């Protein structure tokens, strides 16, 4: 019984947010239909893009770019850290503190 109550309390803010989102968009409380579409239209487009495979392809394309950027940043940070450890001038120049 307590577990159901906790689950309900956790879902209540999410449901309230979705209802407010849908109402705000449907009653044009926030201007700009393309900037702030109703939740139901967002879910419809999500479904259509998922079924067609477009969303999956774009997801993996974005994930690849993020991983490449993460690896490049990690390598640059590692190299910079090693150089700062070897050279006191670089350490004093680039040390954040």
């Amino acid at each position: 019984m307590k577990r159901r109550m906790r689950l309900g309390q956790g879902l209540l803010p999410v449901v309230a947010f979705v209802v407010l989102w849908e109402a705000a968009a449907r009653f044009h409380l926030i201007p700009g239909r393309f900037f702030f579409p109703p939740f139901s239209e967002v879910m419809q487009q999500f479904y259509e893009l998922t079924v067609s495979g477009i969303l999956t392809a774009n997801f993996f394309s974005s994930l690849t770019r993020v991983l490449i950027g993460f690896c490049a940043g990690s390598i640059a940070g590692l190299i910079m850290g090693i150089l700062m450890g070897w050279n006191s001038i670089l350490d004093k120049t680039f040390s954040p503190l």
Side-chain angles (χ1 to χ4, degrees), residues 33-80:
R33 177 149 175 79
F34 296 107
F35 177 71
F36 196 76
F39 180 76
S40 57
E41 288 183 22
V42 171
M43 288 293 100
Q44 180 182 2
Q45 284 296 313
F46 176 76
Y47 175 76
E48 290 174 8
L49 290 172
T50 302
V51 169
S52 69
I54 294 172
L55 190 64
T56 306
N58 287 329
F59 171 77
F60 284 114
S61 176
S62 296
L63 183 62
T64 302
R65 289 183 187 119
V66 166
L67 290 175
I68 289 170
F70 177 77
C71 290
S74 296
I75 291 168
L78 183 64
I79 291 170
M80 193 65 187

Side-chain angles (χ1 to χ4, degrees), residues 82-92:
I82 290 170
L83 291 175
M84 287 172 65
W86 279 342
N87 189 327
S88 63
I89 295 172
L90 284 176
D91 183 40
K92 289 176 185 173

Side-chain angles (χ1 to χ4, degrees), residues 2-13:
K2 276 187 173 183
R3 188 171 185 182
R4 277 190 190 168
M5 219 158 108
R6 281 189 282 159
L7 180 63
Q9 288 174 342
L11 287 177
L12 184 63

